[in-house]
């Protein structure tokens, strides 16, 4: 009897206590979940559930917990039971896609390691499972060091095979992927990712996983009190740290935007995005805002060292204004001074001055062959010359093809990575490998995330006998788009050549997945 | 040895016995007949008098019983007795008492056994026998066996017969009718023949008249059943026609009557269903005669047409179009019928000159009475040429039983042969050939330096090389289209390339020939570069447009294939959990086929979608291999699990493809909307610009500036300038490829054409001064072109060189162009005189309007960007609309400047020029949009055709409905024919044609 009595008293106390502090215990669970604190949510929720699992509160909490922990079938079952009790959770929470997520995740397979759970579609996406686990494992270590701690709970990463399934599960509007370029989310204590296969030539999906994980950690560390600008600044700047890239992850495009802003003094006013990035006018403005906040964090870290970050997060968690916390941590009296210092510091950075554009996001086989090129996507007139060049190139007339590719270039617009890659291929066909390599090097420097450039570079370097460099290029191509059998074959050959048998075996495994349609992972 | 007396007696008695039997038989038969006839007569009488059929039947049955029963009994009883020797002997003893029992004794002695005979005195007996023989044999048989009874019976029969005849004659139901009643007939049926029963005027409605013709043997025709006829009989004489019909109301009896002939038997079942038959003897009519109650009724009269041998009847399908392209299947469907069988079917083609020739279509090995078919041949295959106007008739001959064959023909169809258009698969193949020919050409032009040489020899050599390079394309074009223009996109783009390259080559040959213009100037090289650039542009446009069309076809094929794959995926998902290896493999095979179609479509498709589909298909294929491996290894559970994965993958892929197709459709719609808006904006801008110009002109008119006169002059100038440009261009066209012309002549005509076009531009821009300057610069080309064409007509030519083909045309055109230019010059001078300085108030207004003009310019700038955006988005966009907009902007700028200066006349001219250029931009966009639409529609048609072709049939052409079926006579042996049919049956056809195909083949096989 005693334990029951104690439990009953405990529950009574909890209920009364909660009633004093909050409207209801379920609100408290909700707050824990908002703060990505699953342990907290369980601490309260489990008591509610065990006392009367059929009660509306218990069912509601169970549905939330199941949904946050990636048990979608259970969540939907709880919702159905709630309906029988006259509660329509889906109507109450129209922004939470309970049932769509269940649909989107249908048929996915799971891979687990040390509390991490990665789910992906069967088939080619089996390649992602292992690498995603590696990425998260490494990220947990690195970001625990940088932020002082990471959530101790298990973590679910869902990799949706298509952009449409991702949007279904994310609750975002259908067009959001192509209009805003959102391919991943950290939400509901989980990470949601679009498979790189859904994008026309892949993308830096591992850094994206890391980026979203940072959001999750920062939310947890600050009890979800970090403003968007700080969230994005931290995530953008630190997203490559998991793999040891500490250069801040500024793309060439971001650098060109910043360089222009430094030159003209036309930064995006901080007030415009201090609360939300949604108020920005255009994609270019959003990109500049991201570059600004990312470099602000970089400025902070480079000024005071990595150790400054846990303190900032603690202060934000304790309710200190994020701008003030950052300024103080960086040694400035206020944020204005910090901002002025940052602008001065920016002026000293070696930024790419060339006018560039971001690679358009093209998903699920959408758009024409030029849709993923920043120049050609918006210029059908130039794309026409490129197509003519392609036809000439395919007909074995590389010299003529180059003429058409030259016509397709617009000196007033951003350089086209596709044209650079195509021209390099033509020069390669004409036997001018040096010129070809110079072109792809230029392209990779500007658009390292353009897979075709990396592949062309790998091929050219292989042909030149520069195996180690080729492996780097092939590896970069693999990181963007691991579904190309030619890339896997080249990596197997390359790693064998440089004596890395383990890596060679790993890529041979990926090649096998591609050869068997994922039936033999 | 003669017989003894006993033998003589016995033989005599036996003969007598036989006579007795005969007489008995006759008597019995006569009695029976008499009773029967009497009964029948009585029955007929009773029925005629209104007795119920049942009583009639009872009476008749009783009569039959009486007729047959007692006589039969008597016969049985008396048959043996009448021939008994002893009885006969007794009868003779009675007739000859002097015999005193000797005859009986002798007869009995004959019946004794040897043992009995041994106790009798032989001598006495023999004497008695001899005596008896002598007396008995003298008795005549008529006396011993009289025929009285038989005679009486015969008289009774005669009497009964008489009675029967009387009843038959006097009463409607005779004895035979009575017999019919007994056999189930109606007493009324018999009454139908009674002419005394009044005929009703009302005609009986007869329906469902089915005729069965049993043809005379000489026709060799099988019986033919024709259901639901109108009662008309068409048959050769001697044909037996079995008629089955039905009437709405019930009748009691029916008969058939041919013409006014006697009524013939017809049977009536259930009062409504009639069966009858007649023999066709000649033309005439037939009808039914009905009886009900005390009234008779007639059916309508039906015709009998005796067909000795009619000519075949031929009809053709409705021919929609009055013209057919040279390469377009004729698509003329025909059907022919003949009464005795068809001999040959042919197509008669009569040309405009009345010449007729015949193309045999069918010559069946048997003589079918009904044949159908279609003419799939193209006009080209029928030996026709473009522009031919012919009359077509399908003609059939028959195979008569005797005499010569008769001929039947269809209604004539008049047809004009249009230029080839090519279609479907052929066009797709041709397009690919054109692209393959254009790409190396484009590459050659792009790779060579411009100019390709510095010296005349080098340039001439280049021209020769370039001409050679163009030859394959020209040959391909000529082979496909002949020398006639075609509206097909493939023809247009090649024609443009050939036209542009022709200009380049003509210019090169004439400029670097050394004969025409002396030393080459920088301008010549610039012109060469421009013309070279125009060739490149035409090649680029051609390649891009045709490639885009191919892409569009591929996209449609992909969508179609994706839908099939999606359906297959659903099949996979529905595979039962306990599906066995064979089911799984069958499903995989099915899927493999669909995947092949998808792969084929994807391989033609460039871009992300193609890559995406390829990637998905690689994954699916790899997975399918794994499923097969699992099945082969007997791991069915694993195979089923993998199948689920496969199904999921495929559904995903199909979903994505469909999404992309939808997206593409939306993009096209968005472009369409943008185009619509920009066209509307351009129209508004043009209108506003014209209104502004009109405002100015009205003010000038009001101020008395003689504006009307000026406007009239400008209108005249427009006409003259257009005429000069058109005529000089016609002269250039008449030069053709330059054969037979001096290079100098070609050069001067070319310069005239170029200059005249410039003059027209100046006039259109209301630039009178510029127009005059340009005409002045044309003095030499005008003079030299006239003199050189005159010289071409009279100069001596080297042996073998023919004079230019269209010298007369060129000369006339040059003369007319020069005349128009001279007239225009005078007009422009007159205009220059008239354009005096405007009065101050007009100048003031002009300055005021400058602000409005600036606003229009601002609108033009915004719209210009939109025009450029839309034009760029269109695959057919060539930048000309944007160029026109640029020109419009410049004209607006000039107009604004002029207005600001208070110069109303030039201001107004520039305003109108600007409005014209805006209109030009709109026209250009319109043309591009139409071209794009044409390309899209053509590609779309091909895509659909291609999908249908995959199903084994062609749609979209008049021949679509014609199935490719072999004619039996095309085969050497029936076996070969059947084999071909079976092969044909294996081919796929669209579902909706499956049943048709099956029926068709079954019918053919039965033949």
């Amino acid at each position: 009897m005693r334990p029951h009595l104690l439990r009953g008293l405990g529950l009574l106390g909890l209920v009364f206590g909660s009633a004093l502090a909050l409207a209801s215990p379920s609100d408290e669970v909700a707050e824990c979940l908002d703060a990505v604190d699953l342990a907290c949510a369980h601490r309260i929720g489990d008591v509610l559930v065990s006392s009367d699992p059929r009660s509306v509160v218990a069912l509601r909490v169970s549905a939330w917990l199941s949904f946050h922990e990636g048990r979608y079938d259970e969540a939907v079952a709880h919702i159905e039971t709630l309906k029988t009790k006259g509660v329509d959770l889906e109507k109450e929470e129209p922004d939470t896609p309970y049932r769509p997520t269940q649909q989107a995740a249908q048929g996915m397979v799971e891979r687990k390691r040390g509390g991490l759970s990665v789910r992906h579609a069967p088939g080619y996406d089996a390649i992602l499972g292992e690498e995603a686990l590696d990425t998260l494992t490494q990220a947990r270590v690195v970001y625990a060091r940088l932020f002082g701690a990471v959530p101790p709970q298990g973590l679910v990463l869902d990799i949706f095979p298509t952009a449409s399934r991702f949007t279904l599960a994310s609750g975002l509007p259908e067009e959001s992927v192509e209009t805003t370029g959102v391919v991943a989310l950290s939400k509901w204590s989980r990470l949601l990712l679009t498979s790189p296969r859904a994008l026309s030539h892949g993308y830096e999906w591992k850094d994206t996983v890391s980026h979203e994980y940072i959001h999750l950690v920062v939310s947890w560390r600050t009890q979800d009190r970090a403003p968007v600008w700080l969230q994005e600044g931290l995530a953008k700047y630190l997203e490559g740290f998991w793999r040891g890239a500490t250069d801040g992850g500024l793309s060439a495009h971001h650098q060109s935007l910043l360089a222009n802003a430094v030159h003209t003094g036309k930064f995006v006013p901080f007030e415009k995005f201090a609360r939300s990035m949604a108020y920005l006018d255009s994609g270019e403005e959003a990109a500049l805002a991201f570059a600004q906040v990312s470099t602000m964090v970089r400025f902070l870290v480079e000024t005071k060292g990595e150790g400054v970050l846990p303190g900032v997060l603690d202060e934000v968690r304790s309710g200190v204004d994020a701008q003030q916390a950052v300024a103080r941590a960086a040694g400035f009296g206020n944020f204005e001074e910090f901002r002025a210092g940052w602008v001065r510091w920016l002026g000293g950075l070696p930024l790419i001055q060339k006018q560039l554009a971001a690679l358009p996001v093209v998903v699920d086989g959408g758009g024409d062959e030029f849709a993923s090129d920043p120049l050609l996507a918006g210029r059908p007139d130039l794309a026409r010359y490129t197509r003519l060049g392609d036809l000439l190139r395919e007909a074995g007339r590389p010299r003529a093809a180059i003429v058409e590719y030259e016509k397709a270039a617009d000196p007033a617009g951003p350089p086209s990575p596709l044209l650079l890659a195509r021209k390099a291929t033509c020069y390669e066909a004409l036997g001018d490998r040096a010129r070809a390599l110079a072109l792809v090097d230029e392209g990779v420097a500007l658009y390292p995330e353009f897979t075709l450039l990396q592949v062309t570079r790998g091929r050219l370097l292989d042909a030149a006998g520069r195996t180690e460099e080729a492996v780097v290029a092939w590896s970069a191509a693999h990181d963007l788009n691991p579904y190309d059998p030619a890339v896997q074959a080249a990596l197997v050959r390359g790693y064998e050549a440089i004596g890395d048998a383990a890596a060679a075996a790993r890529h041979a495994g990926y090649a096998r997945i591609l050869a068997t349609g994922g039936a033999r992972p | 040895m003669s017989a003894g007396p006993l033998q003589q007696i016995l033989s005599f008695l036996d003969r007598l016995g036989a006579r007795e039997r005969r007489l008995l038989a006759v008597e019995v038969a006569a009695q029976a007949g008499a009773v029967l006839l009497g009964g029948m007569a009585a029955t007929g009488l009773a029925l005629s008098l209104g007795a119920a059929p049942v009583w009639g039947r009872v009476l008749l049955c009783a009569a039959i019983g009486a007729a047959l029963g007692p006589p039969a009994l008597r016969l049985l009883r008396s048959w043996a007795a009448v021939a008994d020797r002893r009885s006969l002997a007794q009868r003779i003893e009675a007739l000859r008492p002097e015999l005193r029992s000797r005859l009986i004794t002798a007869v009995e002695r004959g019946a004794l056994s040897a043992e009995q005979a041994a106790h009798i005195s032989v001598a006495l007996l023999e004497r008695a026998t001899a005596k008896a023989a002598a007396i008995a044999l003298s008795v005549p048989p008529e006396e011993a066996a009289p025929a009285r009874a038989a005679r009486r019976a015969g008289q009774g029969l005669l009497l009964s017969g008489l009675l029967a005849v009387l009843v038959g004659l006097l009463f409607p139901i005779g004895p035979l009718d009575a017999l019919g009643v007994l056999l189930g007939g109606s007493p009324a049926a018999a009454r139908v023949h009674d002419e005394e029963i009044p005929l009703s005027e009302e005609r009986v409605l007869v329906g469902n008249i089915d005729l069965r013709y049993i043809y005379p043997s000489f026709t060799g025709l099988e019986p033919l059943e024709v259901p639901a006829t109108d009662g008309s009989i068409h048959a050769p004489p001697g044909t037996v026609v079995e008629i089955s019909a039905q009437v709405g109301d019930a009748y009691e009896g029916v008969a058939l009557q041919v013409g006014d002939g006697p009524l013939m038997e017809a049977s009536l079942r259930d009062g409504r269903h009639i069966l009858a038959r007649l023999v066709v003897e000649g033309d005439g009519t037939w009808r039914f005669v009905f009886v009900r109650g005390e009234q008779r009724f007639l059916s309508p009269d039906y015709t009998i047409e005796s067909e000795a041998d009619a000519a075949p009847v031929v009809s053709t399908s409705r021919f929609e179009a009055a013209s057919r392209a040279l390469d377009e299947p004729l698509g003329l469907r025909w059907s022919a019928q003949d009464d005795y069988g068809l001999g040959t079917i042919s197509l008669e083609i009569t040309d405009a000159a009345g010449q007729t020739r015949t193309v045999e279509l069918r010559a069946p090995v048997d003589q079918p009475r009904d044949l159908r078919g279609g003419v799939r041949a193209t006009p080209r295959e029928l030996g026709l040429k473009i522009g031919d106007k012919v009359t077509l008739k399908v003609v059939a001959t028959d195979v008569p039983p005797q005499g010569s064959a008769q001929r039947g023909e269809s209604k004539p169809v008049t047809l004009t042969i249009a230029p080839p258009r090519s279609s479907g698969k052929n066009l797709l193949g041709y397009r690919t050939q054109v692209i393959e020919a254009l790409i190396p050409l484009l590459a050659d032009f792009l790779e060579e330096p411009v100019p390709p040489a510095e010296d005349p020899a080098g340039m001439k050599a280049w021209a020769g090389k370039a001409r050679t390079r163009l030859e394959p394309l020209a040959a391909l074009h000529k082979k496909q289209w002949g020398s006639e223009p075609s509206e097909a996109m493939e023809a247009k783009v090649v024609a443009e390339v050939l036209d542009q390259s022709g200009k380049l080559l003509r210019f090169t040959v004439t400029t670097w020939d050394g004969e025409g213009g002396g030393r080459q100037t920088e301008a010549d090289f610039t012109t060469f570069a421009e013309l070279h650039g125009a060739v490149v542009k035409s090649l680029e446009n051609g390649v891009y447009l045709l490639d885009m069309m191919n892409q569009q076809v591929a996209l449609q094929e992909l969508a179609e294939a994706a839908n099939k794959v999606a359906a297959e995926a659903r099949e996979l998902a529905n595979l039962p959990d306990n599906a066995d290896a064979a089911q799984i493999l069958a499903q995989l095979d099915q899927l493999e086929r669909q995947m092949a179609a998808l792969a084929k479509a994807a391989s033609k498709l460039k871009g992300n979608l193609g890559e995406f589909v390829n990637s998905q298909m690689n994954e699916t294929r790899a997975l399918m291999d794994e499923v097969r491996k699992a099945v082969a290894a007997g791991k069915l559970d694993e195979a089923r699990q993998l199948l689920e994965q496969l199904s999921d993958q495929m559904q995903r892929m199909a979903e994505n493809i469909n999404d992309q197709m939808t997206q593409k459709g939306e993009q096209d719609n968005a472009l369409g909307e943008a185009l619509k808006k920009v066209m509307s904006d351009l129209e508004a801008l043009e209108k506003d610009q014209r209104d502004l110009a009109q405002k100015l002109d009205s003010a000038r008119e009001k101020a008395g500036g003689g504006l009307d006169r000026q406007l009239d002059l400008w209108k005249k100038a427009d006409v003259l300038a257009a005429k000069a440009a058109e005529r000089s261009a016609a002269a250039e066209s008449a030069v053709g490829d330059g054969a037979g012309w001096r290079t100098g002549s070609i050069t001067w005509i070319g310069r005239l054409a170029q200059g005249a076009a410039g003059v027209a531009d100046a006039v259109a821009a209301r630039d009178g001064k510029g127009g005059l300057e340009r005409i002045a610069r044309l003095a030499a080309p005008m003079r030299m072109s006239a003199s050189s064409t005159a010289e071409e007509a009279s100069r001596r030519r080297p042996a073998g060189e023919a004079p230019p083909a269209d010298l007369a045309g060129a000369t006339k055109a040059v003369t007319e162009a020069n005349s128009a230019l001279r007239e225009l010059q005078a007009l422009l001078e007159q205009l220059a005189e008239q354009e005096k300085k405007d009065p101050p108030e007009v100048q003031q207004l002009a300055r005021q309007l400058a602000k409005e003009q600036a606003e229009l310019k601002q609108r033009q700038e915004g719209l210009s960007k939109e025009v450029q955006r839309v034009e760029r988005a269109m695959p057919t966009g060539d930048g000309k609309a944007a160029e026109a907009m640029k020109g419009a902007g410049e004209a607006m700028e000039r107009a604004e400047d002029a207005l600001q200066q208070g110069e109303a006349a030039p201001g107004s001219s520039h305003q109108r020029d600007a409005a014209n250029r805006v209109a030009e931009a709109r026209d250009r966009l319109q043309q591009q949009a139409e071209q794009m639409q044409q390309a899209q529609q053509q590609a779309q048609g091909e895509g659909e055709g291609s999908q249908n072709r995959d199903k084994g049939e062609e749609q979209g052409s008049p021949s679509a409905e014609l199935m490719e079926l072999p004619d039996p006579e095309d085969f050497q042996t029936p076996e070969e024919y059947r084999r071909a049919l079976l092969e044909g049956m294996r081919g796929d056809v669209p579902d909706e044609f499956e049943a048709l195909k099956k029926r068709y083949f079954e019918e053919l096989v039965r033949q």
Side-chain angles (χ1 to χ4, degrees), chain A residues 343-354:
Chain A
V343 172
R344 280 195 301 277
W345 170 84
L346 265 186
L349 279 184
L351 297 171
I352 293 175
Q353 304 289 320
K354 214 167 196 168

PDB file of all heavy atoms in Angstrom, chain A residues 343-354:
ATOM      1  N   VAL A 343      31.853  45.133 -38.075  1.00  0.00           N
ATOM      2  CA  VAL A 343      31.989  45.707 -39.423  1.00  0.00           C
ATOM      3  C   VAL A 343      33.463  45.969 -39.736  1.00  0.00           C
ATOM      4  O   VAL A 343      33.946  45.678 -40.830  1.00  0.00           O
ATOM      5  CB  VAL A 343      31.157  47.002 -39.562  1.00  0.00           C
ATOM      6  CG1 VAL A 343      31.439  47.699 -40.881  1.00  0.00           C
ATOM      7  CG2 VAL A 343      29.659  46.711 -39.447  1.00  0.00           C
ATOM      8  N   ARG A 344      34.167  46.474 -38.728  1.00  0.00           N
ATOM      9  CA  ARG A 344      35.602  46.744 -38.936  1.00  0.00           C
ATOM     10  C   ARG A 344      36.334  45.441 -39.244  1.00  0.00           C
ATOM     11  O   ARG A 344      37.158  45.347 -40.137  1.00  0.00           O
ATOM     12  CB  ARG A 344      36.189  47.380 -37.669  1.00  0.00           C
ATOM     13  CG  ARG A 344      35.895  48.863 -37.542  1.00  0.00           C
ATOM     14  CD  ARG A 344      36.795  49.503 -36.485  1.00  0.00           C
ATOM     15  NE  ARG A 344      36.642  48.908 -35.181  1.00  0.00           N
ATOM     16  CZ  ARG A 344      35.674  49.233 -34.286  1.00  0.00           C
ATOM     17  NH1 ARG A 344      34.759  50.140 -34.620  1.00  0.00           N
ATOM     18  NH2 ARG A 344      35.610  48.640 -33.116  1.00  0.00           N
ATOM     19  N   TRP A 345      35.975  44.410 -38.456  1.00  0.00           N
ATOM     20  CA  TRP A 345      36.607  43.100 -38.618  1.00  0.00           C
ATOM     21  C   TRP A 345      36.301  42.513 -39.997  1.00  0.00           C
ATOM     22  O   TRP A 345      37.175  41.939 -40.633  1.00  0.00           O
ATOM     23  CB  TRP A 345      36.098  42.191 -37.490  1.00  0.00           C
ATOM     24  CG  TRP A 345      36.456  40.748 -37.616  1.00  0.00           C
ATOM     25  CD1 TRP A 345      37.618  40.151 -37.236  1.00  0.00           C
ATOM     26  CD2 TRP A 345      35.612  39.695 -38.127  1.00  0.00           C
ATOM     27  NE1 TRP A 345      37.581  38.814 -37.470  1.00  0.00           N
ATOM     28  CE2 TRP A 345      36.342  38.510 -38.033  1.00  0.00           C
ATOM     29  CE3 TRP A 345      34.324  39.671 -38.639  1.00  0.00           C
ATOM     30  CZ2 TRP A 345      35.839  37.285 -38.416  1.00  0.00           C
ATOM     31  CZ3 TRP A 345      33.816  38.448 -39.041  1.00  0.00           C
ATOM     32  CH2 TRP A 345      34.565  37.273 -38.921  1.00  0.00           C
ATOM     33  N   LEU A 346      35.069  42.711 -40.427  1.00  0.00           N
ATOM     34  CA  LEU A 346      34.659  42.204 -41.747  1.00  0.00           C
ATOM     35  C   LEU A 346      35.516  42.788 -42.847  1.00  0.00           C
ATOM     36  O   LEU A 346      35.899  42.113 -43.788  1.00  0.00           O
ATOM     37  CB  LEU A 346      33.207  42.597 -42.035  1.00  0.00           C
ATOM     38  CG  LEU A 346      32.090  41.616 -41.721  1.00  0.00           C
ATOM     39  CD1 LEU A 346      30.767  42.174 -42.236  1.00  0.00           C
ATOM     40  CD2 LEU A 346      32.327  40.261 -42.327  1.00  0.00           C
ATOM     41  N   GLY A 347      35.811  44.080 -42.694  1.00  0.00           N
ATOM     42  CA  GLY A 347      36.608  44.770 -43.705  1.00  0.00           C
ATOM     43  C   GLY A 347      37.958  44.120 -43.909  1.00  0.00           C
ATOM     44  O   GLY A 347      38.554  44.208 -44.994  1.00  0.00           O
ATOM     45  N   GLY A 348      38.425  43.424 -42.912  1.00  0.00           N
ATOM     46  CA  GLY A 348      39.736  42.786 -43.025  1.00  0.00           C
ATOM     47  C   GLY A 348      39.669  41.370 -43.555  1.00  0.00           C
ATOM     48  O   GLY A 348      40.710  40.727 -43.773  1.00  0.00           O
ATOM     49  N   LEU A 349      38.464  40.859 -43.739  1.00  0.00           N
ATOM     50  CA  LEU A 349      38.344  39.473 -44.199  1.00  0.00           C
ATOM     51  C   LEU A 349      38.606  39.365 -45.707  1.00  0.00           C
ATOM     52  O   LEU A 349      38.174  40.241 -46.458  1.00  0.00           O
ATOM     53  CB  LEU A 349      36.933  38.937 -43.930  1.00  0.00           C
ATOM     54  CG  LEU A 349      36.591  38.448 -42.526  1.00  0.00           C
ATOM     55  CD1 LEU A 349      35.173  37.875 -42.514  1.00  0.00           C
ATOM     56  CD2 LEU A 349      37.557  37.385 -42.042  1.00  0.00           C
ATOM     57  N   PRO A 350      39.280  38.315 -46.128  1.00  0.00           N
ATOM     58  CA  PRO A 350      39.505  38.131 -47.580  1.00  0.00           C
ATOM     59  C   PRO A 350      38.249  37.552 -48.234  1.00  0.00           C
ATOM     60  O   PRO A 350      38.160  36.345 -48.466  1.00  0.00           O
ATOM     61  CB  PRO A 350      40.675  37.149 -47.629  1.00  0.00           C
ATOM     62  CG  PRO A 350      40.554  36.352 -46.369  1.00  0.00           C
ATOM     63  CD  PRO A 350      39.872  37.207 -45.353  1.00  0.00           C
ATOM     64  N   LEU A 351      37.268  38.385 -48.526  1.00  0.00           N
ATOM     65  CA  LEU A 351      36.001  37.888 -49.086  1.00  0.00           C
ATOM     66  C   LEU A 351      36.051  37.858 -50.609  1.00  0.00           C
ATOM     67  O   LEU A 351      36.705  38.693 -51.228  1.00  0.00           O
ATOM     68  CB  LEU A 351      34.847  38.803 -48.649  1.00  0.00           C
ATOM     69  CG  LEU A 351      34.577  38.860 -47.154  1.00  0.00           C
ATOM     70  CD1 LEU A 351      33.562  39.960 -46.845  1.00  0.00           C
ATOM     71  CD2 LEU A 351      34.060  37.524 -46.639  1.00  0.00           C
ATOM     72  N   ILE A 352      35.340  36.911 -51.169  1.00  0.00           N
ATOM     73  CA  ILE A 352      35.247  36.841 -52.635  1.00  0.00           C
ATOM     74  C   ILE A 352      34.423  38.027 -53.123  1.00  0.00           C
ATOM     75  O   ILE A 352      33.304  38.263 -52.664  1.00  0.00           O
ATOM     76  CB  ILE A 352      34.598  35.506 -53.066  1.00  0.00           C
ATOM     77  CG1 ILE A 352      35.524  34.334 -52.735  1.00  0.00           C
ATOM     78  CG2 ILE A 352      34.237  35.507 -54.538  1.00  0.00           C
ATOM     79  CD1 ILE A 352      34.950  32.965 -52.990  1.00  0.00           C
ATOM     80  N   GLN A 353      35.037  38.757 -54.061  1.00  0.00           N
ATOM     81  CA  GLN A 353      34.389  39.988 -54.491  1.00  0.00           C
ATOM     82  C   GLN A 353      33.433  39.783 -55.663  1.00  0.00           C
ATOM     83  O   GLN A 353      32.567  40.600 -55.928  1.00  0.00           O
ATOM     84  CB  GLN A 353      35.457  41.008 -54.918  1.00  0.00           C
ATOM     85  CG  GLN A 353      36.498  41.311 -53.852  1.00  0.00           C
ATOM     86  CD  GLN A 353      35.926  42.121 -52.681  1.00  0.00           C
ATOM     87  OE1 GLN A 353      35.133  43.036 -52.892  1.00  0.00           O
ATOM     88  NE2 GLN A 353      36.308  41.777 -51.455  1.00  0.00           N
ATOM     89  N   LYS A 354      33.647  38.668 -56.362  1.00  0.00           N
ATOM     90  CA  LYS A 354      32.873  38.419 -57.572  1.00  0.00           C
ATOM     91  C   LYS A 354      31.379  38.333 -57.263  1.00  0.00           C
ATOM     92  O   LYS A 354      31.004  37.781 -56.228  1.00  0.00           O
ATOM     93  CB  LYS A 354      33.329  37.089 -58.154  1.00  0.00           C
ATOM     94  CG  LYS A 354      33.309  37.027 -59.632  1.00  0.00           C
ATOM     95  CD  LYS A 354      34.064  35.798 -60.109  1.00  0.00           C
ATOM     96  CE  LYS A 354      34.381  35.931 -61.578  1.00  0.00           C
ATOM     97  NZ  LYS A 354      35.325  34.934 -62.011  1.00  0.00           N
TER      98      LYS A 354
END
